[in-house]
Amino acid sequence: LQIVAAIGKLLGHALDPLLDEWAALDYGTELAPLKNQVTEATALFNRCTDHLKECDTPVIDYYASDVTNMAVYVLNSWLLLQHARVDDRKRAIAEVYIAEHLPKLRGAAAAVQAANPAPLTNRDAILAAPF
């Protein structure tokens, strides 16, 4: 139910003002490479939500958990990046989180951008097959 509640807001770009605010903060030259990665991830997330908005409702519902996970990765990355500005240990945590989760975001983005309806169109045939 939480994903159902979140997907409408995510497709409506409800996070944009917050993400824009965080992107506008000064992260300094040391954190610039991480900021660039998170900025790219944010743009990819936004492209995916725009793409999914053009799909039929069953397809949106099928990929809703992927989009929600992407939103979590983006939000957490920005939050950790903010904390990285004040402490080297927190910078290390941000580096690890971003290194581990941005590839997951890219994988989810590839699935969402493909938005292949095959799992939905073949569901009945697969479930009806005798085993």
Side-chain angles (χ1 to χ4, degrees), residues 59-95:
V59 175
I60 292 171
D61 292 345
Y62 186 79
Y63 290 100
S65 63
D66 292 313
V67 172
T68 305
N69 286 337
M70 291 173 66
V72 170
Y73 300 151
V74 167
L75 283 167
N76 285 344
S77 294
W78 280 116
L79 288 169
L80 289 167
L81 191 57
Q82 288 177 54
H83 290 285
R85 297 182 305 166
V86 297
D87 183 279
D88 285 340
R89 182 176 173 270
K90 291 181 180 182
R91 177 186 174 168
I93 293 169
E95 287 176 348

Side-chain angles (χ1 to χ4, degrees), residues 9-75:
K9 299 281 188 189
L10 294 175
L11 294 180
H13 288 271
L15 293 176
D16 283 359
L18 180 62
L19 298 178
D20 291 344
E21 177 186 328
W22 291 347
L25 295 175
D26 181 18
Y27 294 91
T29 56
E30 283 189 29
L31 294 175
L34 286 177
K35 180 183 179 183
N36 290 339
Q37 290 178 35
V38 178
T39 299
E40 290 174 19
T42 303
L44 182 57
F45 166 69
N46 285 329
R47 285 194 303 275
C48 287
T49 59
D50 289 341
H51 175 71
L52 203 56
K53 281 193 299 193
E54 304 301 321
C55 296
D56 294 331
T57 300
V59 175
I60 292 171
D61 292 345
Y62 186 79
Y63 290 100
S65 63
D66 292 313
V67 172
T68 305
N69 286 337
M70 291 173 66
V72 170
Y73 300 151
V74 167
L75 283 167

